[in-house]
Amino acid sequence: TMTVERSDKLEIHVKGEGHGKVPVDDSNLVVFGVKTAFKHAGEEMPPLRFKCHNRIPFARGLGSSSAGIVAGLLAGLVLSGKEVPVWGSETFLQMACEIEGHPDNVAPAIYGGIQLGMNNGERWISSRVQTPHGLQAIIFIPESIGETKVARAVLPETLTYKEAVYNISRISFLVNALNTNNLYDLQWATQDALHQPQRSAQFSHMKPVIEAAMEAGAHCAYLSGAGPSILALTSSAAGDVFTQRQEERNEQAVADAMAKAAEANGTPGRIFITEPTQRGAHVLQATPSFSDRGRIHLFREAGEV
């Protein structure tokens, strides 16, 4: 979450993940996002105070940079009073992709849920894929960071026809498995020939942690982004997790198995258990209010906006 307010100078206060490590000057991606939004509105960014409570570990293959970019863009658009079209142009997405270079993480950060993204030759476009009910994500997050540039350096510049066919067939299975709630197929749909084998030497924990998750009952497990985090998917959550019997769920068993495999491999880290959200970046509260207090009241999680 982030609070942005006008100030007499640039201030950035960070709590949570990355405290003391992320930049607190105008090189911060949140600030860059706000600047981009103001530039799009034809204005200069005024001095602002940023209060960021980061919950996404950075440089772990979890999309923290995209979250920062999208949060900054949203705040900048609101502060500048600039509205942008969605249908037929997805201007917000274009702005985010201009910074990030691709829609892989910024699209779900903007729209929520599971998103597909591509460039149609004229602009970036996105499409939502159904998120199965009860889906849960168990993530092993190593203490060591993984620089995306380093991870990309091990990838070959060319692919074989066999490798391309391998991944195309599996991405087809992936979309169909999610849309039809056929989670059994996820074990095949998340197999990969384009980056996981190449990065296995860089991340010695990858193979044993993935195998442990699968043996413990996960639908699938794979390297998250460019790594080093490993993400496994389970299901069966119904209602609040505290109201369902443990034997009807297996996320804890999967988490324990992943943690033990990582420990045996000599890779210290943490386990996060979370779930997908259908909601992307949004404003919780604004001053002045968006609501027309006399007739129309706009509510979000934190109350009236």
Side-chain angles (χ1 to χ4, degrees), residues 188-205:
W188 320 116
T190 53
Q191 292 176 333
D192 171 79
L194 303 187
H195 81 114
Q196 286 195 171
Q198 293 83 348
R199 287 169 171 156
S200 60
Q202 181 184 4
F203 304 128
S204 62
H205 65 283

Side-chain angles (χ1 to χ4, degrees), residues 36-57:
T36 301
F38 269 90
K39 182 179 178 181
H40 191 83
E43 301 178 21
E44 289 288 328
M45 185 186 83
L48 297 171
R49 180 182 298 110
F50 295 82
K51 297 178 182 178
C52 304
H53 186 184
N54 298 340
R55 300 176 66 186
I56 306 175

Side-chain angles (χ1 to χ4, degrees), residues 22-44:
V22 299
V24 289
D25 55 23
D26 58 6
S27 67
N28 187 296
L29 286 173
V30 169
V31 179
F32 193 79
V34 173
K35 278 188 173 181
T36 301
F38 269 90
K39 182 179 178 181
H40 191 83
E43 301 178 21
E44 289 288 328

